[in-house]
């Protein structure tokens, strides 16, 4: 399978190259040229699989330059009992109507573990597959969860170093401690003055600084990313939507073929975009509910068709969602509007701080997505209500 840039189709690479590179050459994001599909028979087969088996199956549909055996052996280690002693994912019932896909059973309790436990193994293989002799330096911008999960996934991986940038005042105390005390001889963390968007823009700037990259090259180093702009991070996230649906069938919550709505707390649009891909592949998902906090740029976008990042930034109690530039939205625009329109929208976003999608793109968005947001007060109230129903839905509360 070939990967192309969301901003133009000239560059075509295999998965290993896309994972090694992170961003496409023209600043766009890599997308598979076509999406594989899953029949109900395929889904029924997944119902009988372990998580590592399901992950290897789904990943092998996208990473066609990796063998199934390579992927299975990597997934067995990544999602095995060392990192996930209670199993990789669990479906819990909040009530009759609402089920929760628990993605926090990994080593750092962040759902990011689901991708970041496997991604270093995919990158390691990508270096071999592309005959890469240089060392990879992973740059990560984080508002908390990604940093710790990436450090934990990449620590002591040969041939790879990792440096994490986080906003000095934007991450929780636990996360700061998790990052500052990370073990491993190839890891480094750096606090920056500013918010997550500043960290992310800074990292993007380093990536596109060709003079700097040339200097690194002379030293035998190249840059790569572990943010969800990297396809190697996104692909593993598709798996748990497929697997989660099958778990619901197995539990008897639904019958095969019944449609479910999926509600995803959203920041950089990676997680919900993975759900959209699962839907496009054939998982019976009806509505994708994009849940934001008071940084509700996506809520406004989905209701009006205008994306406007020029607004006040609100630091909240859910900092992983405190994002005004949702990078992976570009992938959705690419699927709905094509590469030329996407390149134009991104140019406008960069130059004016906003863009408005065409009527036809807006209609396509409405067909699949609905955006809502939750105030700080409502977030707390909901966590409290769920707790009263017997469900603890914010692990960080254990530490407060
Ligand atoms: C990363 C993260 C998000 C946002 O996910 P995206 O894929 O960036 O949309 C939301 N909640 C938590 C707890 C996270 O760690």
């Amino acid at each position: 399978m070939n990967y192309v840039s969301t901003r133009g189709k000239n560059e075509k690479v295999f998965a290993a190259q896309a994972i090694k590179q992170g961003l496409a050459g023209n600043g766009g994001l890599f997308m598979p040229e076509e999406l594989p599909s899953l029949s109900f028979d395929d889904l029924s087969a997944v119902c009988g699989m372990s998580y590592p088996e399901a992950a290897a199956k789904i990943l092998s549909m996208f990473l066609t330059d990796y063998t199934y055996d390579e992927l299975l052996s990597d997934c067995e280690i990544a999602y095995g009992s060392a990192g996930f002693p209670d199993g990789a994912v669990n479906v819990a019932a909040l009530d009759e109507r609402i089920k929760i896909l628990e993605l926090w059973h990994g080593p750092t309790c962040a759902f990011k573990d689901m991708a970041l436990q496997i991604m270093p193994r995919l990158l390691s293989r990508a270096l071999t597959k592309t005959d890469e002799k240089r060392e990879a330096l992973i740059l990560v911008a984080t508002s908390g969860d990604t940093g710790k999960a990436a450090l934990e996934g990449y620590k002591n991986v040969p041939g790879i170093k990792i440096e994490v940038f986080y906003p000095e005042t934007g991450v929780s105390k636990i996360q700061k401690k998790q990052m500052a005390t990370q073990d491993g001889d190839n890891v480094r963390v750096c606090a920056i003055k500013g918010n997550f968007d500043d960290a992310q823009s800074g990292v993007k700037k380093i990536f596109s600084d060709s003079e700097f990259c040339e200097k690194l090259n002379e030293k035998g180093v190249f840059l790569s990313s572990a943010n969800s702009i990297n396809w190697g991070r996104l692909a593993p996230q598709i798996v748990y939507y497929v697997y989660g649906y099958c778990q619901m069938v197995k539990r008897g919550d639904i019958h095969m073929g019944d449609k479910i709505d999926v509600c995803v707390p959203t920041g950089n649009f990676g997680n919900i975009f993975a759900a959209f891909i699962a839907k496009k592949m054939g998982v019976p998902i009806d509505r994708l509910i994009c849940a934001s906090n008071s940084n509700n740029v996506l809520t406004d976008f989905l209701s009006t068709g205008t994306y406007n990042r020029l607004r006040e930034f609100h630091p909240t109690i859910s900092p992983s969602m405190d994002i005004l530039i949702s990078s992976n939205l570009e992938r959705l625009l690419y699927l709905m509007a094509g590469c030329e329109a996407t390149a134009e929208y991104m140019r406008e976003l960069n130059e004016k701080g906003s863009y408005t999608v065409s009527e036809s793109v807006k209609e396509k968005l409405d067909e699949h997505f609905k955006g809502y947001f939750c105030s700080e007060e409502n977030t707390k109230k909901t966590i409290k209500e769920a707790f009263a129903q017997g469900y603890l839905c914010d692990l960080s509360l254990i530490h407060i």
Side-chain angles (χ1 to χ4, degrees):
M1 180 179 287
N2 285 315
Y3 286 78
V4 294
S5 167
T6 48
R7 298 188 196 175
K9 289 199 180 206
N10 296 333
E11 191 179 2
K12 264 189 201 180
V13 299
F14 287 129
Q17 180 67 28
I19 291 170
K20 184 174 102 176
Q21 222 174 295
L23 274 178
N26 58 3
L29 308 183
F30 281 117
M31 275 293 289
E33 209 168 21
E34 72 265 358
L35 295 178
S37 60
L38 287 166
S39 65
F40 286 166
D41 282 348
D42 292 330
L43 290 175
S44 297
V46 171
C47 291
M49 289 180 190
S50 67
Y51 194 86
E53 287 167 345
K57 178 187 161 79
I58 307 295
L59 287 175
S60 68
M61 298 171 98
F62 287 98
L63 315 183
T64 50
D65 46 340
Y66 292 64
T67 67
Y68 175 79
D69 288 347
E70 285 174 337
L71 292 168
L72 183 62
S73 108
D74 287 350
C75 290
E76 276 172 348
I77 300 169
Y79 300 115
S81 55
F84 294 84
D86 308 323
V89 304
N90 180 44
V91 175
L94 184 63
D95 55 34
E96 271 293 296
R97 206 170 55 88
I98 301 176
K99 310 292 174 243
I100 296 174
L101 183 59
E102 293 180 344
L103 301 173
W104 44 262
H105 293 282
T108 77
C109 302
F111 91 84
K112 311 251 182 337
D113 286 332
M114 297 306 298
L116 286 166
Q117 283 297 302
I118 182 77
M119 189 188 173
R121 293 166 219 281
L122 301 179
L123 177 61
S124 231
R125 287 199 192 273
L127 298 184
T128 313
K129 284 176 193 295
T130 57
D131 202 20
E132 182 58 67
K133 299 283 182 287
R134 294 170 300 170
E135 191 175 50
L137 172 58
I138 312 281
L139 298 182
V140 181
T142 185
S143 55
D145 289 359
T146 310
K148 174 64 191 175
L151 289 163
E152 193 58 32
Y154 278 99
K155 70 174 181 194
N156 300 330
V157 176
I160 305 178
K161 283 189 172 138
I162 175 164
E163 175 141 17
V164 171
F165 298 87
Y166 67 89
E168 192 183 18
T169 54
V171 302
S172 73
K173 274 188 193 156
I174 313 161
Q175 289 170 334
K176 207 181 254 189
K177 282 186 183 157
Q178 281 181 318
M179 286 191 274
T181 60
Q182 176 66 45
D183 62 332
D185 51 23
N186 60 340
V187 305
R188 211 153 86 156
V189 294
C190 177
I192 65 134
K193 290 195 164 62
N195 59 35
F196 170 74
D197 283 325
D198 297 320
Q200 179 160 262
S201 305
V203 165
K204 277 191 178 171
K205 217 182 260 173
I206 299 174
F207 274 116
S208 56
D209 184 339
S210 49
E211 211 174 293
F212 180 68
C213 291
E214 189 41 47
K215 269 189 199 151
L216 285 179
N217 194 31
E218 284 163 18
K219 291 181 188 282
V221 177
F222 75 96
L223 296 176
S224 190
S225 91
N227 280 83
S228 55
I229 50 177
N230 191 311
W231 183 254
R233 172 84 187 274
L234 228 144
Q237 297 190 260
I238 301 165
V239 176
Y240 51 72
Y241 289 105
V242 181
Y243 190 81
Y245 182 88
C246 294
Q247 287 300 106
M248 287 179 71
V249 173
K250 261 173 93 171
R251 284 169 47 99
D253 295 327
I254 51 171
H255 297 291
M256 180 60 75
D258 287 351
K259 286 197 168 175
I260 57 167
D261 291 334
V262 174
C263 178
V264 187
T266 299
N268 224 0
F269 212 78
N271 200 2
I272 194 168
F273 183 72
F276 180 66
I277 299 275
K279 176 176 181 176
K280 293 297 255 186
M281 289 174 76
V283 178
I285 292 173
D286 191 11
R287 203 57 84 86
L288 293 148
I289 301 165
C290 176
S292 299
N293 61 22
S294 41
N295 294 294
N296 54 2
V297 60
L298 286 166
T299 320
D300 288 351
F301 171 66
L302 291 171
S303 71
T304 65
T306 295
Y307 193 100
N308 187 353
R309 70 172 163 84
L310 303 176
R311 59 178 67 215
E312 201 185 329
F313 178 82
H314 304 285
T316 71
I317 52 168
S318 41
S320 300
M321 297 159 68
D322 291 350
I323 289 174
L324 294 182
I325 305 173
S326 283
S327 301
N328 282 295
L329 187 61
E330 177 168 349
R331 290 193 155 107
L332 183 64
L333 294 173
Y334 166 78
L335 288 181
M336 293 186 164
C339 59
E340 275 159 36
T342 301
E344 178 58 22
Y345 294 148
M346 292 303 113
R347 197 183 56 75
E348 286 177 38
L349 181 66
N350 206 15
E351 289 172 8
K352 299 193 309 195
S354 71
Y355 61 85
T356 301
V357 296
S358 68
E359 275 299 311
S360 72
V361 172
K362 175 71 171 65
E363 273 169 31
K364 285 185 202 169
L365 288 170
D366 291 344
E367 197 185 317
H368 301 281
F369 289 89
K370 188 89 189 131
Y372 296 96
F373 77 100
C374 197
S375 66
E376 296 286 89
E377 204 178 309
N378 256 328
T379 303
K380 290 179 189 167
K381 194 171 137 251
T382 307
I383 291 172
K384 191 173 170 185
E385 280 169 9
F387 190 64
Q389 275 176 264
Y391 193 80
L392 176 64
C393 61
D394 184 349
L395 286 185
S396 70
L397 291 180
I398 291 173
H399 304 274
I400 286 175

